[in-house]
Amino acid sequence: MRKNAVRPAGRRQGRISMLSLPMIALALCLFVINMAAHAAEAGSDAVTPTNLPRILVLATGGTIAGQADTRATGAYKSGQITGEQLVQSVPGLDKLARLSAEQISSIGSQDMNDKVWFALARRIQQAFDKDEADGIVVTHGTDTLEETAFFLDNVLKGDKPVVIVGSMRPATAVGADGPANLYEAIQVAADPRSRRHGVMAVLNDKIEGARSVTKTNTTSLETFNSPNAGPIGYVDTAGGIRFTAQASGLKRATYELPANEQLPRVEIVYSHANMDAVPIEDAIAHGAKGIVLAGVGDGNTSKQALDALELAAKKGIVVVRSTRVRSGFVTRNVEVDDDKNGFVVSEDLNPQKARVLAQLLIANGVTAPDKLQEAFRATW
Ligand code: DGL
């Protein structure tokens, strides 16, 4: 055929198809190899469920599970949404952990009680002892969140993460903080770096230790703080987790739960100007095994009240001097002769936490003043 002659399309195609068969085969091979590579890559990125940590969510109620109430603008009822519904309502949790949820109670935490505490403690310990979970998240009202955290921190054995979380706005509120708090709580509970920190409270991008965290504002999202110790870390959905404290916790011991599922009666007596002995006398009359003084200043109170506390101690009632002041340590033998009276000082523990520790100590038969004081010690 003459050079440059225009070949009929068929012939050219024929020539091209003859020429390009190996090319097509090569292209096909490259395509298949490429697809296989993508599939393998996708496979390696897609974390299979078996790779994710197992997090058990135990719901108790609270505002995080609250729903608006038509009673009034801003009104809501706590504990209306189940733990399962909470978990289902937050997108992306399934990328963090293999989640399961159980309902322990459905109460506002102002109604928190020994029964729920014991149920929580036993369920968590069972989940750890039977290796059912790699971490625990407890959803809870904020009013007594710090007490539950401190109670659990003092009775749970093992070093797996336990995170307690709540919210300041109900699930139905504009700008509800619950979903983000729950997401962050699960981030922390699912992270191996969270082990050996004891029970932690996670709200508003902060990780707080059970001994130090307290509610400091009636309505603010930033309400949880640790006035004496500061947060032990920070968490946010974008940056992940940053611990700023060593994983050690300040727990002195792990206390046994009393078999009768009841903690001994320990009263908190709030001191103020013109204080008399009546609240202390009432506590003694109602069978208190311990009295915690929410004292003025460095755990002080009036002479009348102090005389009544000395009488209580002589009767074998555990007396702990704490303070109504927001921060600082209560110090032994400054204006009160603790050694002579057999009193204990709460150090950094606020009255509500001093009460929990006193209950656990009494329930475990620790009543000698020196042993009690050792159990309250706040520093290494
Ligand atoms: N009902 C209160 C409670 O459950 C509301 C406080 C809250 O959860 O934020 O503690």
Side-chain angles (χ1 to χ4, degrees):
M1 176 177 267
R2 284 179 292 115
K3 202 173 169 196
N4 297 331
V6 177
R7 293 182 180 79
R11 291 284 301 253
R12 185 179 288 121
Q13 273 177 344
R15 194 70 193 271
I16 289 172
S17 63
M18 287 305 289
L19 273 177
S20 58
L21 264 181
M23 298 295 284
I24 290 171
L26 178 61
L28 268 176
C29 288
L30 289 173
F31 173 73
V32 169
I33 290 166
N34 189 29
M35 290 309 290
H38 275 302
E41 188 185 340
S44 62
D45 290 349
V47 178
T48 53
T50 53
N51 297 348
L52 291 174
R54 302 159 301 166
I55 301 300
L56 171 60
V57 177
L58 299 176
T60 68
T63 297
I64 193 169
Q67 269 183 333
D69 187 326
T70 54
R71 176 167 37 90
T73 308
Y76 67 85
K77 275 178 72 65
S78 289
Q80 303 304 297
I81 298 170
T82 66
E84 186 62 43
Q85 288 169 320
L86 281 175
V87 165
Q88 293 305 326
S89 69
V90 179
L93 292 183
D94 58 343
K95 300 284 187 300
L96 298 176
R98 281 176 286 163
L99 292 163
S100 56
E102 297 175 12
Q103 204 71 26
I104 300 291
S105 63
S106 294
I107 58 173
S109 77
Q110 61 269 47
D111 288 315
M112 190 47 68
N113 55 68
D114 291 356
K115 184 170 181 286
V116 175
W117 275 6
F118 279 67
L120 268 177
R122 296 202 191 291
R123 182 66 188 101
I124 295 169
Q125 199 63 60
Q126 180 189 47
F128 287 161
D129 293 349
K130 293 188 170 182
D131 191 22
E132 294 173 28
D134 302 304
I136 300 283
V137 168
V138 176
T139 59
H140 195 288
T142 59
D143 288 355
T144 58
L145 184 145
E146 64 198 82
E147 294 170 67
T148 300
F150 188 61
F151 166 74
L152 293 174
D153 195 45
N154 278 282
V155 300
L156 291 175
K157 300 175 182 72
D159 62 8
K160 287 184 179 176
V162 177
V163 176
I164 192 163
V165 63
S167 72
M168 292 302 289
R169 295 173 183 160
T172 48
V174 174
D177 54 326
N181 287 350
L182 181 58
Y183 188 97
E184 293 177 351
I186 288 169
Q187 273 181 287
V188 173
D191 193 307
R193 290 171 294 168
S194 301
R195 295 180 77 117
R196 295 186 309 283
H197 279 289
V199 175
M200 296 165 277
V202 170
L203 289 98
N204 201 41
D205 299 351
K206 287 197 289 183
I207 308 171
E208 310 270 3
R211 182 180 177 108
S212 51
V213 70
T214 187
K215 187 172 183 178
T216 62
N217 187 287
T218 55
T219 55
S220 162
L221 298 184
E222 299 173 342
T223 182
F224 280 96
N225 291 288
S226 296
N228 288 313
I232 62 171
Y234 299 88
V235 53
D236 65 70
T237 48
I241 297 168
R242 298 172 179 89
F243 277 108
T244 52
Q246 292 301 318
S248 63
L250 271 175
K251 178 165 88 168
R252 286 276 160 270
T254 300
Y255 300 101
E256 295 303 320
L257 293 172
N260 69 354
E261 306 253 321
Q262 267 191 335
L263 292 171
R265 185 181 192 87
V266 174
E267 299 287 359
I268 298 174
V269 170
Y270 200 92
S271 194
H272 49 77
N274 199 28
M275 177 78 174
D276 63 22
V278 171
I280 294 152
E281 291 161 351
D282 284 352
I284 297 169
H286 285 97
K289 303 297 181 209
I291 296 173
V292 173
L293 174 70
V296 293
D298 191 5
N300 297 316
T301 191
S302 67
K303 172 94 175 58
Q304 284 184 64
L306 206 52
D307 291 346
L309 289 173
E310 289 173 24
L311 179 63
K314 287 192 175 87
K315 289 176 177 285
I317 294 169
V318 171
V319 173
V320 182
R321 291 195 304 112
S322 183
T323 178
R324 70 184 200 182
V325 174
R326 183 171 174 270
S327 65
F329 290 62
V330 178
T331 314
R332 284 187 70 83
N333 301 317
V334 177
E335 293 186 68
V336 175
D337 191 339
D338 296 301
D339 291 349
K340 175 173 82 68
N341 296 319
F343 292 167
V344 179
V345 295
S346 70
E347 298 234 343
D348 59 324
L349 290 180
N350 61 26
Q352 51 271 34
K353 289 186 181 177
R355 173 178 172 273
V356 173
L357 185 53
Q359 287 184 303
L360 290 171
L361 287 162
I362 295 164
N364 283 265
V366 181
T367 52
D370 60 333
K371 296 291 182 212
L372 289 166
Q373 190 60 73
E374 173 56 23
F376 272 85
R377 195 163 50 83
T379 56
W380 293 109

